[in-house]
Amino acid sequence: MDMMVILFSIGASFLLAVLLGPLFIPVLRRLKFGQQIRMEGPQSHLKKSGTPTMGGIIIMVALMIAFLKFSDKTAEFWVLLTASLGFGLVGFLDDYIKIVFKRSLGLTARQKLFGQLLFSIIVCAMLYNMGHSTEISVPGTGWGFDLGWFYYPLVVIILFAASNSVNFTDGLDGLLAGTSAIAFGAFTVVALQTSAHESAVFSAAMVGAVLGFLVFNAHPAKVFMGDMGSLGIGGGIAAVAILTKTELLLIVIGGVFVLEMLSVILQVGSFKLRGKRIFKMSPIHHHFELVGWSEWKVVTVFWFVGIVFAAIGLLFVIL
Protein backbone atom coordinates (compact mmCIF):
# COMPACT_ATOMS: atom_id res chain seq x y z
CA MET A 1 0.00 0.00 0.00
CA ASP A 2 2.85 2.36 0.88
CA MET A 3 4.37 1.94 -2.56
CA MET A 4 1.09 2.80 -4.29
CA VAL A 5 0.76 5.93 -2.15
CA ILE A 6 4.34 6.89 -3.01
CA LEU A 7 3.74 6.48 -6.75
CA PHE A 8 0.49 8.45 -6.57
CA SER A 9 2.25 11.21 -4.61
CA ILE A 10 4.97 11.52 -7.26
CA GLY A 11 2.49 11.41 -10.12
CA ALA A 12 0.03 13.87 -8.58
CA SER A 13 2.64 16.49 -7.65
CA PHE A 14 4.35 16.15 -11.06
CA LEU A 15 1.06 16.63 -12.91
CA LEU A 16 0.10 19.57 -10.71
CA ALA A 17 3.44 21.31 -11.31
CA VAL A 18 3.14 20.77 -15.07
CA LEU A 19 -0.38 22.19 -15.04
CA LEU A 20 0.49 25.10 -12.75
CA GLY A 21 3.48 26.23 -14.81
CA PRO A 22 1.52 27.67 -17.75
CA LEU A 23 -0.80 29.40 -15.27
CA PHE A 24 1.81 31.02 -13.02
CA ILE A 25 4.61 31.85 -15.47
CA PRO A 26 2.56 34.36 -17.56
CA VAL A 27 1.33 35.97 -14.32
CA LEU A 28 4.89 36.33 -13.01
CA ARG A 29 5.88 37.83 -16.35
CA ARG A 30 2.99 40.32 -16.33
CA LEU A 31 3.85 41.36 -12.78
CA LYS A 32 7.41 41.91 -14.02
CA PHE A 33 8.77 39.48 -11.43
CA GLY A 34 11.96 39.13 -13.43
CA GLN A 35 15.31 37.91 -12.12
CA GLN A 36 17.91 40.59 -11.35
CA ILE A 37 21.26 39.22 -12.57
CA ARG A 38 24.36 40.20 -10.56
CA MET A 39 26.92 42.06 -12.67
CA GLU A 40 29.79 40.22 -10.95
CA GLY A 41 28.40 36.84 -12.05
CA PRO A 42 29.28 35.02 -15.29
CA GLN A 43 28.70 37.38 -18.22
CA SER A 44 26.82 34.63 -20.09
CA HIS A 45 24.06 34.94 -17.47
CA LEU A 46 23.25 38.56 -18.33
CA LYS A 47 20.94 37.40 -21.12
CA LYS A 48 18.81 35.70 -18.45
CA SER A 49 17.89 39.05 -16.92
CA GLY A 50 14.12 39.46 -16.80
CA THR A 51 13.34 35.73 -16.80
CA PRO A 52 10.42 35.26 -14.36
CA THR A 53 11.50 34.16 -10.88
CA MET A 54 9.58 33.16 -7.74
CA GLY A 55 8.67 29.96 -9.60
CA GLY A 56 9.17 28.19 -6.28
CA ILE A 57 5.48 28.84 -5.73
CA ILE A 58 4.78 26.18 -8.40
CA ILE A 59 6.85 23.66 -6.44
CA MET A 60 5.36 24.55 -3.07
CA VAL A 61 1.73 24.50 -4.25
CA ALA A 62 2.12 21.18 -6.10
CA LEU A 63 3.98 19.68 -3.14
CA MET A 64 1.45 20.78 -0.54
CA ILE A 65 -1.64 19.66 -2.46
CA ALA A 66 -0.19 16.17 -3.05
CA PHE A 67 1.13 15.94 0.53
CA LEU A 68 -2.20 17.00 2.00
CA LYS A 69 -3.98 14.39 -0.12
CA PHE A 70 -1.78 11.38 0.67
CA SER A 71 -0.43 12.08 4.19
CA ASP A 72 -1.89 10.82 7.46
CA LYS A 73 -1.77 14.29 9.15
CA THR A 74 0.32 13.07 12.09
CA ALA A 75 2.73 15.20 14.16
CA GLU A 76 5.47 14.55 11.58
CA PHE A 77 3.19 16.09 8.95
CA TRP A 78 3.23 19.43 10.76
CA VAL A 79 6.99 19.37 11.26
CA LEU A 80 7.53 18.83 7.54
CA LEU A 81 5.06 21.58 6.64
CA THR A 82 6.61 24.05 9.07
CA ALA A 83 10.17 23.41 7.91
CA SER A 84 9.40 23.57 4.20
CA LEU A 85 6.77 26.33 4.13
CA GLY A 86 8.48 28.32 6.89
CA PHE A 87 11.83 28.48 5.13
CA GLY A 88 9.99 28.94 1.85
CA LEU A 89 8.26 32.01 3.35
CA VAL A 90 11.66 33.51 4.25
CA GLY A 91 12.70 32.89 0.65
CA PHE A 92 9.48 34.47 -0.65
CA LEU A 93 10.18 37.67 1.29
CA ASP A 94 13.75 37.66 0.00
CA ASP A 95 12.55 37.26 -3.60
CA TYR A 96 9.84 39.89 -3.18
CA ILE A 97 12.27 42.52 -1.89
CA LYS A 98 14.73 41.76 -4.71
CA ILE A 99 12.06 42.23 -7.36
CA VAL A 100 9.83 44.99 -6.02
CA PHE A 101 12.55 47.16 -4.49
CA LYS A 102 15.19 46.28 -7.12
CA ARG A 103 17.64 45.14 -4.42
CA SER A 104 19.70 42.29 -5.88
CA LEU A 105 20.55 40.93 -2.42
CA GLY A 106 16.98 40.92 -1.04
CA LEU A 107 16.72 40.53 2.73
CA THR A 108 19.72 41.61 4.76
CA ALA A 109 21.82 38.81 6.26
CA ARG A 110 20.44 39.61 9.71
CA GLN A 111 16.81 39.54 8.53
CA LYS A 112 17.26 36.21 6.75
CA LEU A 113 19.08 34.79 9.78
CA PHE A 114 16.20 35.85 12.05
CA GLY A 115 13.59 34.21 9.80
CA GLN A 116 15.50 30.95 9.55
CA LEU A 117 16.18 30.93 13.30
CA LEU A 118 12.50 31.57 14.08
CA PHE A 119 11.26 28.57 12.10
CA SER A 120 14.14 26.41 13.34
CA ILE A 121 13.08 27.10 16.94
CA ILE A 122 9.46 26.30 16.09
CA VAL A 123 10.57 22.97 14.56
CA CYS A 124 12.62 22.20 17.69
CA ALA A 125 9.59 22.90 19.91
CA MET A 126 7.44 20.60 17.78
CA LEU A 127 10.04 17.82 17.93
CA TYR A 128 10.25 18.15 21.71
CA ASN A 129 6.47 18.04 22.13
CA MET A 130 6.17 14.89 20.02
CA GLY A 131 8.90 13.14 22.03
CA HIS A 132 11.30 12.90 19.09
CA SER A 133 14.45 10.90 19.92
CA THR A 134 17.57 12.94 20.66
CA GLU A 135 19.85 10.06 19.70
CA ILE A 136 22.21 10.33 16.73
CA SER A 137 23.19 7.24 14.73
CA VAL A 138 26.38 6.88 12.70
CA PRO A 139 25.52 5.60 9.17
CA GLY A 140 26.73 2.12 8.34
CA THR A 141 27.40 1.22 11.96
CA GLY A 142 25.37 0.13 14.95
CA TRP A 143 26.83 2.98 16.94
CA GLY A 144 24.71 5.79 18.28
CA PHE A 145 24.78 8.31 21.11
CA ASP A 146 22.19 10.44 22.87
CA LEU A 147 22.85 14.19 22.73
CA GLY A 148 20.07 15.10 25.15
CA TRP A 149 19.38 18.86 25.08
CA PHE A 150 22.37 19.40 22.77
CA TYR A 151 20.34 17.71 20.03
CA TYR A 152 18.22 20.82 19.49
CA PRO A 153 21.11 23.17 18.62
CA LEU A 154 22.16 20.44 16.17
CA VAL A 155 18.68 20.56 14.60
CA VAL A 156 19.07 24.32 14.12
CA ILE A 157 22.49 23.80 12.51
CA ILE A 158 21.11 21.10 10.18
CA LEU A 159 18.22 23.34 9.08
CA PHE A 160 20.54 26.31 8.52
CA ALA A 161 23.20 24.29 6.72
CA ALA A 162 20.76 22.40 4.49
CA SER A 163 18.69 25.42 3.48
CA ASN A 164 21.71 27.60 2.71
CA SER A 165 23.70 24.91 0.90
CA VAL A 166 20.67 24.08 -1.26
CA ASN A 167 20.25 27.81 -1.89
CA PHE A 168 23.88 28.04 -3.10
CA THR A 169 23.21 25.20 -5.54
CA ASP A 170 20.46 27.15 -7.30
CA GLY A 171 22.51 28.98 -9.92
CA LEU A 172 22.11 27.22 -13.27
CA ASP A 173 19.08 26.15 -15.29
CA GLY A 174 17.81 22.85 -13.91
CA LEU A 175 20.74 22.31 -11.52
CA LEU A 176 18.86 22.41 -8.23
CA ALA A 177 15.65 20.90 -9.60
CA GLY A 178 17.57 17.84 -10.81
CA THR A 179 19.88 17.38 -7.82
CA SER A 180 17.04 17.86 -5.32
CA ALA A 181 14.87 15.31 -7.17
CA ILE A 182 17.73 12.81 -6.86
CA ALA A 183 18.28 13.55 -3.17
CA PHE A 184 14.57 13.37 -2.31
CA GLY A 185 14.28 10.18 -4.33
CA ALA A 186 16.96 8.64 -2.12
CA PHE A 187 15.23 9.90 1.01
CA THR A 188 11.96 8.36 -0.18
CA VAL A 189 13.71 4.99 -0.06
CA VAL A 190 15.29 5.83 3.31
CA ALA A 191 11.90 6.81 4.75
CA LEU A 192 10.31 3.59 3.49
CA GLN A 193 13.15 1.56 5.01
CA THR A 194 12.70 3.29 8.37
CA SER A 195 8.86 3.10 8.24
CA ALA A 196 8.59 6.89 8.31
CA HIS A 197 5.39 7.11 6.27
CA GLU A 198 4.91 10.88 6.36
CA SER A 199 8.51 11.55 5.35
CA ALA A 200 8.22 9.05 2.51
CA VAL A 201 5.06 10.73 1.15
CA PHE A 202 6.58 14.19 1.54
CA SER A 203 9.82 13.17 -0.21
CA ALA A 204 7.89 11.50 -3.03
CA ALA A 205 5.67 14.57 -3.47
CA MET A 206 8.77 16.75 -3.60
CA VAL A 207 10.31 14.52 -6.28
CA GLY A 208 7.23 14.95 -8.46
CA ALA A 209 6.99 18.69 -7.80
CA VAL A 210 10.61 19.50 -8.70
CA LEU A 211 10.55 17.23 -11.76
CA GLY A 212 7.37 18.96 -12.92
CA PHE A 213 9.07 22.31 -12.35
CA LEU A 214 12.10 21.05 -14.29
CA VAL A 215 9.90 20.92 -17.40
CA PHE A 216 10.00 24.74 -17.35
CA ASN A 217 13.37 25.21 -15.62
CA ALA A 218 15.59 23.06 -17.87
CA HIS A 219 17.99 25.01 -20.09
CA PRO A 220 16.98 27.47 -21.40
CA ALA A 221 14.84 28.18 -18.35
CA LYS A 222 11.43 29.78 -18.78
CA VAL A 223 11.25 30.42 -15.03
CA PHE A 224 13.57 30.37 -11.99
CA MET A 225 12.52 28.97 -8.63
CA GLY A 226 14.06 31.80 -6.58
CA ASP A 227 14.82 31.62 -2.88
CA MET A 228 11.26 30.60 -2.11
CA GLY A 229 11.89 27.32 -3.88
CA SER A 230 15.48 26.71 -2.82
CA LEU A 231 15.01 27.54 0.88
CA GLY A 232 11.75 25.57 0.96
CA ILE A 233 13.49 22.57 -0.56
CA GLY A 234 16.40 22.93 1.87
CA GLY A 235 14.15 23.15 4.91
CA GLY A 236 12.16 20.15 3.68
CA ILE A 237 15.15 17.88 3.12
CA ALA A 238 16.57 18.77 6.53
CA ALA A 239 13.25 17.92 8.18
CA VAL A 240 13.10 14.55 6.41
CA ALA A 241 16.64 13.68 7.57
CA ILE A 242 15.74 14.66 11.14
CA LEU A 243 12.46 12.73 11.23
CA THR A 244 13.99 9.57 9.71
CA LYS A 245 16.89 9.78 12.22
CA THR A 246 19.41 9.94 9.37
CA GLU A 247 20.78 13.36 10.23
CA LEU A 248 24.39 12.43 9.41
CA LEU A 249 23.35 10.60 6.23
CA LEU A 250 22.17 13.94 4.85
CA ILE A 251 25.84 14.88 4.41
CA VAL A 252 26.24 11.94 2.01
CA ILE A 253 22.94 12.00 0.12
CA GLY A 254 23.15 15.78 -0.14
CA GLY A 255 26.82 15.61 -1.15
CA VAL A 256 26.41 18.04 -4.05
CA PHE A 257 24.90 20.63 -1.69
CA VAL A 258 27.77 20.09 0.75
CA LEU A 259 30.35 20.64 -2.01
CA GLU A 260 28.60 23.83 -3.10
CA MET A 261 28.66 25.23 0.44
CA LEU A 262 32.26 24.15 1.06
CA SER A 263 33.36 25.90 -2.13
CA VAL A 264 31.88 29.17 -0.85
CA ILE A 265 33.43 28.76 2.62
CA LEU A 266 36.86 27.92 1.18
CA GLN A 267 36.70 30.75 -1.34
CA VAL A 268 35.78 33.37 1.26
CA GLY A 269 38.25 32.00 3.82
CA SER A 270 41.12 31.88 1.33
CA PHE A 271 40.48 35.42 0.10
CA LYS A 272 40.29 36.85 3.62
CA LEU A 273 43.36 34.98 4.92
CA ARG A 274 45.61 34.95 1.85
CA GLY A 275 44.09 37.53 -0.48
CA LYS A 276 43.81 34.79 -3.12
CA ARG A 277 40.87 32.87 -4.57
CA ILE A 278 40.85 29.08 -4.91
CA PHE A 279 38.17 28.99 -7.60
CA LYS A 280 37.50 31.34 -10.49
CA MET A 281 34.11 31.91 -8.86
CA SER A 282 32.02 30.28 -6.17
CA PRO A 283 29.73 28.43 -5.72
CA ILE A 284 31.75 25.83 -7.57
CA HIS A 285 29.31 25.34 -10.47
CA HIS A 286 30.29 28.84 -11.68
CA HIS A 287 33.97 27.83 -11.60
CA PHE A 288 33.34 25.11 -14.16
CA GLU A 289 31.41 27.56 -16.33
CA LEU A 290 34.36 29.94 -16.32
CA VAL A 291 36.86 27.24 -17.27
CA GLY A 292 34.87 26.66 -20.44
CA TRP A 293 32.18 24.07 -19.66
CA SER A 294 28.78 24.71 -21.17
CA GLU A 295 25.94 25.31 -18.72
CA TRP A 296 24.26 22.06 -19.77
CA LYS A 297 27.49 20.09 -19.23
CA VAL A 298 27.92 21.48 -15.72
CA VAL A 299 24.31 20.64 -14.86
CA THR A 300 24.40 17.06 -16.19
CA VAL A 301 27.76 16.32 -14.54
CA PHE A 302 26.43 17.60 -11.22
CA TRP A 303 23.29 15.47 -11.66
CA PHE A 304 25.53 12.44 -12.17
CA VAL A 305 27.58 13.31 -9.07
CA GLY A 306 24.30 13.66 -7.15
CA ILE A 307 23.27 10.15 -8.28
CA VAL A 308 26.60 8.76 -7.06
CA PHE A 309 26.23 10.42 -3.64
CA ALA A 310 22.62 9.20 -3.36
CA ALA A 311 23.64 5.64 -4.25
CA ILE A 312 26.42 5.68 -1.64
CA GLY A 313 23.99 7.00 0.96
CA LEU A 314 21.46 4.27 0.18
CA LEU A 315 24.15 1.61 0.58
CA PHE A 316 24.51 2.65 4.22
CA VAL A 317 20.77 2.06 4.72
CA ILE A 318 20.18 -1.05 2.64
CA LEU A 319 23.29 -3.08 3.48
Side-chain angles (χ1 to χ4, degrees):
M1 178 55 119
D2 260 352
M3 187 52 66
M4 289 300 296
V5 171
I6 294 305
L7 293 176
F8 279 128
S9 297
I10 295 173
S13 58
F14 175 82
L15 183 60
L16 283 165
V18 170
L19 293 174
L20 288 170
L23 296 177
F24 278 107
I25 294 173
V27 172
L28 294 172
R29 190 175 289 114
R30 281 198 298 273
L31 292 174
K32 300 188 185 301
F33 281 7
Q35 179 69 40
Q36 303 292 314
I37 303 297
R38 293 183 303 158
M39 295 304 296
E40 63 270 23
Q43 294 301 297
S44 61
H45 287 204
L46 293 178
K47 63 178 180 283
K48 299 183 180 185
S49 182
T51 301
T53 188
M54 293 184 75
I57 191 170
I58 297 170
I59 297 172
M60 291 294 110
V61 171
L63 166 73
M64 290 307 123
I65 292 175
F67 189 40
L68 283 165
K69 172 64 178 176
F70 297 106
S71 67
D72 290 337
K73 317 297 188 300
T74 62
E76 287 84 357
F77 167 86
W78 297 107
V79 172
L80 290 161
L81 272 188
T82 302
S84 190
L85 290 184
F87 277 77
L89 176 60
V90 174
F92 170 82
L93 294 173
D94 193 41
D95 288 334
Y96 187 81
I97 291 170
K98 287 177 185 175
I99 296 163
V100 175
F101 297 101
K102 308 299 181 185
R103 280 172 45 185
S104 62
L105 296 179
L107 290 172
T108 65
R110 185 172 296 180
Q111 289 168 338
K112 188 177 290 188
L113 178 69
F114 174 78
Q116 291 174 310
L117 181 60
L118 173 63
F119 286 106
S120 295
I121 291 172
I122 293 173
V123 168
C124 286
M126 296 172 79
L127 292 171
Y128 175 78
N129 287 333
M130 61 186 273
H132 185 68
S133 171
T134 55
E135 185 174 325
I136 291 289
S137 299
V138 179
T141 73
W143 187 45
F145 48 95
D146 196 330
L147 291 178
W149 281 101
F150 291 104
Y151 178 76
Y152 297 104
L154 177 63
V155 167
V156 174
I157 292 171
I158 292 170
L159 285 163
F160 266 81
S163 60
N164 288 303
S165 60
V166 168
N167 184 242
F168 284 137
T169 308
D170 184 28
L172 300 178
D173 297 353
L175 177 58
L176 179 54
T179 51
S180 61
I182 293 163
F184 273 106
F187 269 113
T188 302
V189 177
V190 170
L192 288 172
Q193 287 287 112
T194 56
S195 299
H197 176 77
E198 298 286 59
S199 293
V201 173
F202 178 87
S203 297
M206 185 68 88
V207 170
V210 293
L211 286 179
F213 179 76
L214 185 58
V215 171
F216 311 102
N217 185 238
H219 186 71
K222 298 179 181 65
V223 64
F224 300 138
M225 68 172 68
D227 284 2
M228 180 183 185
S230 60
L231 290 181
I233 289 170
I237 200 168
V240 170
I242 291 163
L243 290 173
T244 56
K245 299 307 301 172
T246 54
E247 297 93 343
L248 297 181
L249 195 63
L250 177 58
I251 298 171
V252 181
I253 292 177
V256 169
F257 311 138
V258 174
L259 292 177
E260 294 276 18
M261 173 167 271
L262 283 177
S263 71
V264 174
I265 294 172
L266 290 172
Q267 184 87 324
V268 173
S270 176
F271 188 75
K272 286 187 175 181
L273 293 173
R274 305 186 304 140
K276 297 180 180 179
R277 293 179 172 85
I278 300 173
F279 309 105
K280 289 182 178 294
M281 184 176 288
S282 65
I284 197 169
H285 55 258
H286 290 317
H287 170 82
F288 289 106
E289 274 192 291
L290 294 179
V291 299
W293 287 22
S294 69
E295 183 169 348
W296 182 241
K297 180 178 179 180
V298 177
V299 169
T300 52
V301 168
F302 273 55
W303 285 355
F304 176 76
V305 173
I307 291 171
V308 172
F309 276 124
I312 293 171
L314 288 177
L315 285 176
F316 283 115
V317 176
I318 296 172
L319 297 182

